[in-house]
Amino acid sequence: MGRLIVVSNRVAPTQEGRPAAGGLAVGVLDALKETGGVWFGWSGETVAEPAPAVIEQQGSVTYATVGLTRRDYDQYYKGFSNTTLWPTFHYRNDLARYERQEYGGYLRVNVALARQLQPLIEPDDIIWVHDYHLIPFARCLRDLGVKNPIGFFLHIPLPVPEVLRSVPPHEELMKFMCHYDVVGFQTDADRQAFVDYIERGGHGNASEDGMVHAWDRFLKVGAYPIGIYPDAIAKASGQFSDRKPVRSLRDAMRGRKLIMSVDRLDYSKGLAERFQAFERLLQNGPGWHGRVSLLQIAPPTRSDVQTYQTIRRNLEGEAGRINGRFAQLDWTPIQYLNRKYERNLLMGLFRLADVGYVAPLRDGMNLVAKEYVASQDPDDPGVLVLSQFAGAAEQMPGALVVNPYDLNQTAEALERALSMPLAERRSRYEDMMAGLRKNNLSVWRDTFLDDLRSVATAASVTAKARSAAPAAGAPSSASVPAPVPSPAAKAKAG
Ligand code: ADQ
């Protein structure tokens, strides 16, 4: 069996134990360590001149990283990826900006990265590309003659067609997506948004078995919700629950209840609304004054993008305002920390919290929701309050699901979570743990890769059959993948 090559914008820090804030990094590294393989992408450094990939072997994983020039970084990463795609895909068109030059940079970097990867690819490898930075990547590899199976997984939501169409090159982007053999989304709603775009736009159609035929391409499209390893997290949280920082927090709580939130500092995470719903809890329930605190951990990311600077200032203002309104000499309602924590320690902190408060305005999945549940003490578990707009809500029936825009409803859910009897907490926890075990991270990886292998095998069988009997004609059903000439080969043939 060939190697797995994972391609993502950013290759995570390779030193063990270093905090990796970001769900993709956490999910991909865990998945890759088990199978072994190559992880290719940006090193996180900016360089004066492009240089060949730096190769580093660590255990079963080969890291191949490249630097980006300042211009590439500005146009591809900061520009089109994070100022056009990220906000729009999270339904924040109001924060999105489109610049044609930045889109040009996005395409240029995809081509350059594909050129850097191509010499490292062996004939039996399968290639798994991740996330919105790299939508055109399969097309770029095909242009270079790469024939290997290539799959794509989108970690963030895909918006409905009306919203997607606000990105000027939307059609080209969706066409690029169709150059993959398998395209995976976090939820069925995201998968449906893609199918709707294709079908309502008259670009093609989908069949019952998940195959899509569009722009002369056949591909498999499905929902592959990302998971975690709940038992490993449960073990780590138990082991770390006695570490010094966890003990200090426990002592500082002095018997008060703890609501905890952990997110990258991002406007999609709904942090201001979260603070305001907590404020509503205190406003409507004076009995909670001095008896409950909210701990919000939110390390800054993308700090050089303007909207991220604005949100940071706003949140500091909100936390200060709410604390000023309610704080007592010996009680600060909101503790707001802008830092990363070592992963296992974070799980130990989760175990201490009575409520896991995960209320993004939009989120592809949200791993924190899953990690919080897995970190709980089975004999005395906390309660998850979860936004209906996180992909995780499709999968976590034991959570108290809220609309984060409804501050009263969210405050009521917090109140209910804080007061929930043990028997109900246990039963909700057990339901969710069963689901987390059933759909763990290996299931995510293996289901996706099995689909990628079988679609690729079916395509090559069809290709062989066709070349053996050219008169046999086109496949009789849309569910049979057709062989796909690369755009370069097509151009030659045409
Ligand atoms: P993110 O938007 O980064 O991921 P999320 O899924 O919550 O969101 O993952 C964050 C990860 O970073 C978690 O594993 C968390 O423990 C870790 N983390 C966060 N803050 C941290 C801190 N202060 N210190 C240490 N670790 C921290 C994207 C999509 C999500 C999708 C994931 C995975 O936006 O919707 O769930 O990819 O597909």
Side-chain angles (χ1 to χ4, degrees), residues 328-346:
Q328 298 167 1
L329 286 176
D330 62 347
W331 170 60
T332 308
I334 300 180
Q335 259 188 293
Y336 174 45
L337 310 181
N338 288 133
R339 53 165 293 189
K340 289 184 188 174
Y341 283 89
E342 202 260 301
R343 204 169 144 65
N344 289 333
L345 181 62
L346 202 56

Side-chain angles (χ1 to χ4, degrees), residues 22-23 155 186 264 269 299 339 341 363-367 371:
H155 288 255
Q186 297 273 26
R264 283 182 310 94
K269 303 289 182 184
R339 53 165 293 189
Y341 283 89
D363 219 328
M365 177 54 61
N366 197 298
L367 293 179
E371 292 164 351

Side-chain angles (χ1 to χ4, degrees), residues 188-330:
D188 199 55
D190 300 317
R191 184 201 61 79
Q192 190 60 50
F194 180 75
V195 168
D196 287 348
Y197 181 91
I198 297 292
E199 291 190 333
R200 287 202 223 140
H203 306 300
N205 51 59
S207 57
E208 289 284 299
D209 58 2
M211 294 304 294
V212 164
H213 179 203
W215 290 294
D216 289 334
R217 293 268 319 146
F218 284 88
L219 61 150
K220 163 120 187 144
V221 176
Y224 304 85
I226 192 169
I228 57 169
Y229 289 122
D231 293 308
I233 288 180
K235 192 166 159 213
S237 85
Q239 283 169 348
F240 276 70
S241 62
D242 217 29
R243 289 293 165 103
K244 189 157 178 295
V246 183
R247 272 191 279 127
S248 311
L249 177 61
R250 189 183 296 120
D251 294 345
M253 291 310 297
R254 282 184 285 148
R256 287 186 192 113
K257 297 268 187 187
L258 176 64
I259 300 175
M260 187 169 165
S261 285
V262 174
D263 307 83
R264 283 182 310 94
L265 184 49
D266 193 292
Y267 47 82
S268 65
K269 303 289 182 184
L271 299 181
E273 289 77 1
R274 223 179 281 199
F275 287 2
Q276 287 155 11
F278 179 67
E279 177 183 27
R280 200 62 65 95
L281 171 78
L282 298 178
Q283 183 183 305
N284 296 347
W288 288 112
H289 294 192
R291 289 186 47 228
V292 62
S293 292
L294 168 62
L295 171 61
Q296 173 71 61
I297 297 178
T301 49
R302 305 172 196 164
S303 323
D304 55 350
V305 177
Q306 178 61 43
T307 40
Y308 286 77
Q309 295 161 12
T310 315
I311 180 210
R312 190 171 177 178
R313 271 200 307 278
N314 285 350
L315 282 172
E316 280 160 8
E318 280 301 272
R321 182 183 65 72
I322 297 165
N323 281 339
R325 180 171 173 199
F326 293 105
Q328 298 167 1
L329 286 176
D330 62 347

